[in-house]
């Protein structure tokens, strides 16, 4: 047998083996990454341009807020709306004492009560009073005041005064009477847990 035919036979066998079995059985091939510099120019209407595709990972990361809630694909978002509470008429004096405030009260005088603000995890959910909670909504949560009650808040440190309506129920933490929405706390410059001045106008 001629050596050139033997060599050609071995070469043909090696090529067929590479084509027929591209990798080890049971292993997945790693994806090949292509540099944008290696893309060929594309001629569109006589002008040569380089074809580039935006990186989908970069586009999606730019749309996330630092406190956005991330969930697994296909899973339902947790419902974080606060429970509805019965509506009742309330007076400023009774609320200041921590009661439900069903009697007549002295509206117009300033009171001080513990407050906090809420937002992350609640954006897009419904409030106990029927609104959709957003990052810009001006409102406040209270355990007993009727939905829609107008309340005036004052930040004693800077003198800012803002009126807001009760839109939700809460806070459910001892020592706090008010949960300010993110929009309200930013308007007052009071986005922290501390007493706040309030009154019923």
């Amino acid at each position: 047998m001629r050596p050139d035919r033997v060599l050609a036979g071995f070469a043909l066998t090696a090529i067929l083996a590479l084509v027929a079995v591209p990798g080890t059985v049971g292993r997945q091939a790693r994806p090949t990454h292509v540099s944008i510099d290696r893309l060929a120019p594309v001629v569109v209407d006589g002008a040569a341009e380089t074809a580039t595709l935006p990186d989908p990972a970069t586009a999606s990361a730019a749309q996330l807020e630092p406190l956005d809630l991330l969930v697994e694909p296909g899973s339902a978002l947790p419902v974080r709306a606060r429970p509805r509470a019965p509506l009742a008429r309330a007076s400023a004096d009774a609320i200041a004492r921590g009661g439900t405030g069903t009697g007549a009260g002295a509206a117009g005088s300033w009171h001080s009560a513990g407050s906090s603000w809420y937002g992350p995890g609640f954006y897009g959910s419904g409030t106990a009073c029927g609104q959709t909670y957003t990052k810009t909504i001006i409102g406040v949560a209270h355990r007993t005041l009727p939905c829609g009650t107008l309340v005036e808040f004052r930040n004693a440190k800077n003198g800012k005064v803002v009126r807001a309506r009760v839109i939700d129920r809460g806070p459910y933490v001892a020592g706090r009477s008010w949960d300010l929405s993110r929009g309200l706390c930013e308007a007052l410059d009071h986005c922290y847990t501390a007493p706040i001045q309030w009154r019923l106008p």
Side-chain angles (χ1 to χ4, degrees):
M1 201 165 179
R2 295 175 53 185
D4 57 340
R5 287 188 178 184
V6 173
L7 187 58
F10 281 126
L12 184 59
T13 304
I15 291 171
L16 287 174
L18 290 174
V19 171
V21 185
T24 307
V25 177
R27 291 185 64 195
Q28 293 182 348
R30 292 187 179 190
T32 305
H33 296 285
V34 178
S35 170
I36 292 177
D37 299 36
R38 300 186 75 194
L39 294 176
V42 177
V43 177
V44 180
D45 294 332
E49 294 184 9
T50 303
T52 59
L53 297 175
D55 183 3
T58 306
S60 63
Q63 298 172 0
L64 289 176
E65 293 291 327
L67 299 175
D68 280 349
L69 181 65
L70 300 178
V71 296
E72 289 295 323
S75 63
L77 286 172
V79 178
R80 307 269 317 257
R82 295 182 177 205
R84 292 189 181 264
L87 302 180
R89 302 235 0 124
S91 71
D93 288 341
I95 295 166
R97 292 190 305 269
T100 58
T102 54
S109 57
W110 288 103
H111 305 277
S112 181
S115 72
S116 55
W117 74 280
Y118 73 112
F122 290 97
Y123 302 130
S125 65
T127 69
C129 297
Q131 289 96 342
T132 299
Y133 189 78
T134 65
K135 293 180 181 181
T136 57
I137 194 168
I138 302 289
V140 67
H142 191 270
R143 287 186 294 272
T144 58
L145 275 175
C147 291
T149 301
L150 190 61
V151 184
E152 199 168 52
F153 292 93
R154 179 171 64 187
N155 184 344
K157 290 185 178 180
N158 59 23
K160 291 184 178 181
V161 177
V162 178
R163 285 186 173 187
R165 296 200 178 273
V166 173
I167 62 168
D168 212 347
R169 294 293 170 226
Y172 297 104
V173 176
R176 297 184 202 164
S177 297
W178 304 99
D179 242 354
L180 312 179
S181 70
R182 177 177 170 176
L184 178 58
C185 83
E186 287 179 348
L188 287 167
D189 196 19
H190 193 279
C191 295
Y192 45 87
T193 301
I196 192 164
Q197 294 180 340
W198 66 275
R199 70 180 176 186
L200 298 178

